Amino acid sequence: MTTAQPTTDVLAEKHRSTLDQALATIRTRAYWSPYPEHPKAYGADGSLDAAAGLAAHEAVLNGRFDLDQPGTDGWTGGEVSPYGPALGVEYPHADVDVLLPAMRAGLPAWRDAGPETRALACLEILARISARTHEFAHAVMHTSGQAYMMAFQAGGPHAQDRGLEAVAYAYEEQTRTPAGRAVWSKPQGKRDPLELSKEFTPVGRGVALVIGCNTFPTWNGYPGLFASLATGNAVLVKPHPRAVLPLALTVKVAREVLAESGFDPNLVALATERPGEGIAKTLAVRPEIRIIDYTGSTEFGDWLEANARQAQVYTEKAGVNTVLIDSTDDYKGMLSNLAFSLSLYSGQMCTTPQNLLIPRDGITTDQGPRSYDEVVADLAAAVGGLLGDDARANALLGALVNPDVKARLEAAAGLGEVALASREVAHPDFPEAVVRTPVMVKLDGSKPDAEAAYLSECFGPVSFAVSVDSTADGLELLRRTIRDKGAMTVGAYTTSADTERAVEEICLEESAQLSLNLTGGVYVNQTAAFSDFHGSGGNPAANAALCDGAFVSNRFRVVEVRRQA
């Protein structure tokens, strides 16, 4: 393998300042992003503007996506956009008995390159992806069902931010131990001191497996991918069968950068599956796989944690996100904020609120007291008003990602009294898209037969307005929900200092991320990289947080070599 030093110097000139800023920002938790959020920011400096991005996306469709990987034994595909069209892309199918040894072959040189070179190579990968954000946005849109603007932002700069954040944490954790050789000298009184030369090297675990999800293939995929790559591991990307294209594009860019930098491109590879093959289970227990990142169902996440014993497993599973509504001094702002949170991407986010806990005697507001029924009716009206215009509804809702979401939406109407009925929305550009507004159902929190509904995740545009006997009862139900079912997000509205402290104490004790009294342009289901933690790793919804030191530190080990001085 050729030396990577000349390329490393070039990458340092291009990206060292970005790495330094990322390192500073994870300490200050301030707002910062090197990747533009606005579509019009692209088109200069070699990046693709909107038209070029669409053309690049269309050029990939209905063809073979060749990655020149070892062990390719056939081709597979079958993605169909939630908006209707078949993508027609065929991807290489790998014989993993050939591919995995090839991936391991590049590990020594990647290890020896050191944390800085690995970080800079990762930043070059991210920079090239950023330049193609418009192209990636179409790939995310037509595999996840996100509306274009959301696919552009969440699948583009926000995903890139999370990847860079992981690189920064990886670099910081690896460089806690001094690089190079350290001289150790222990005085021995009148005798000569004992002296050793010691060298410390961060060493990756081996091959990491990223098991992609359907709804946020890049946003959920990039943290694990870049955390593992930056800590000296090879990364095998296994996309969700319905969302291959965004991660296939990512793998292709990574392989190009690695090759140009003098490293083995097989350090990053793609593993696609034939229909019904289910290769995730097979790969997960192979001895070569030493790290697994997974986002998806609780059932498979639990299986991975129980069975992939040879690997360090990071999971994000199902949770029941809850908002306690006790009181507010901005009733209109609360309703507007919640309406947007419930509607964004048709509720197909792991952070979308599901249960709204409302005292049955009502709440106090700046507009006077509101009964439980009035709060529910006003919130339903706010959602209806937000989505009353079809053009706005399409821009916010996107399309339902798969038939299971549609089935849950339709079944929810039979679980209780419907406070807000779902309606079909026609999409002017994609008549086959399944677009539905949210449904809101009233449930009595004191009735045991209602628990089966509100204490299970109902992923999609479904929310439950759960009546509770009092705020105190709501607090107890909140605690039980987090402890037993997990939560990626918790929200609360209150003007009471005592209630605020009680909610905060519950979230501290049960390890849940809390948002209080949001009434403006920040929503409970949104988090900002470098500042907000996504998940906590401390409740059943996820065993890791994006991103903290714990997310990266167990992906490598420091190996010491001692020599007689």
Side-chain angles (χ1 to χ4, degrees), residues 121-146:
C122 288
L123 264 63
E124 176 66 13
I125 295 168
L126 286 164
R128 294 194 191 184
I129 291 171
S130 175
R132 296 167 61 177
T133 292
H134 276 288
E135 178 187 0
F136 273 75
H138 286 285
V140 171
M141 173 183 176
H142 285 290
T143 52
S144 71
Q146 295 175 31

Side-chain angles (χ1 to χ4, degrees), residues 197-261:
S197 172
K198 301 183 180 184
E199 189 172 2
F200 305 93
T201 303
V203 179
R205 285 179 172 268
V207 179
L209 174 66
V210 174
I211 303 175
C213 70
N214 196 174
T215 48
F216 288 89
T218 55
W219 198 99
N220 278 109
Y222 283 5
L225 191 163
F226 285 101
S228 287
L229 192 61
T231 49
N233 301 281
V235 183
L236 181 60
V237 178
K238 204 297 291 182
H240 191 284
R242 287 192 290 260
V244 180
L245 184 56
L247 291 178
L249 289 168
T250 302
V251 168
K252 189 165 189 176
V253 173
R255 291 174 64 83
E256 289 169 353
V257 170
L258 289 166
E260 292 172 18
S261 303

Side-chain angles (χ1 to χ4, degrees), residues 55-125:
H57 169 70
E58 291 176 339
V60 173
L61 303 180
N62 300 307
R64 284 189 169 177
F65 196 98
D66 194 2
L67 290 170
D68 193 27
Q69 291 185 171
T72 298
D73 60 8
W75 297 85
T76 186
E79 290 159 294
V80 177
S81 168
Y83 290 94
L87 302 191
V89 184
E90 288 189 318
Y91 304 96
H93 181 276
D95 178 347
V96 293
D97 288 328
V98 176
L99 180 58
L100 287 171
M103 295 182 72
R104 288 176 57 83
L107 286 172
W110 190 235
R111 174 200 66 213
D112 294 344
E116 182 176 17
T117 296
R118 290 195 292 268
L120 294 172
C122 288
L123 264 63
E124 176 66 13
I125 295 168

Side-chain angles (χ1 to χ4, degrees), residues 294-319:
Y294 168 76
T295 301
S297 71
T298 296
E299 181 182 12
F300 190 58
D302 289 345
W303 185 92
L304 287 170
E305 291 170 359
N307 291 278
R309 305 303 296 271
Q310 85 293 345
Q312 182 69 31
V313 179
Y314 300 88
T315 59
E316 180 186 316
K317 302 176 288 189

Side-chain angles (χ1 to χ4, degrees), residues 104 283-290 310:
R104 288 176 57 83
L283 288 170
V285 296
R286 287 192 63 115
E288 301 96 329
I289 300 299
R290 305 305 303 276
Q310 85 293 345

Side-chain angles (χ1 to χ4, degrees), residues 136-207:
F136 273 75
H138 286 285
V140 171
M141 173 183 176
H142 285 290
T143 52
S144 71
Q146 295 175 31
Y148 182 76
M149 194 60 193
M150 184 175 185
F152 178 89
Q153 292 187 334
H158 296 172
Q160 296 151 21
D161 283 340
R162 285 296 184 188
L164 175 56
E165 177 186 50
V167 173
Y169 273 100
Y171 179 84
E172 183 162 85
E173 292 299 319
Q174 290 174 98
T175 54
R176 289 187 186 278
T177 303
R181 293 189 177 182
V183 175
W184 182 83
S185 181
K186 180 179 180 180
Q188 295 292 299
K190 295 181 179 180
R191 293 176 293 170
D192 291 339
L194 297 176
E195 292 186 346
L196 293 175
S197 172
K198 301 183 180 184
E199 189 172 2
F200 305 93
T201 303
V203 179
R205 285 179 172 268
V207 179

Side-chain angles (χ1 to χ4, degrees), residues 406-449:
K406 181 172 179 285
R408 281 192 293 271
L409 170 65
E410 293 172 345
L415 296 174
E417 180 185 345
V418 175
L420 174 65
S422 177
R423 70 177 182 90
E424 297 184 21
V425 179
H427 199 294
D429 300 319
F430 301 101
E432 297 178 58
V434 179
V435 184
R436 299 287 189 274
T437 62
V439 64
M440 187 185 304
V441 178
K442 290 181 172 182
L443 293 175
D444 188 336
S446 66
K447 293 185 177 179
D449 59 351

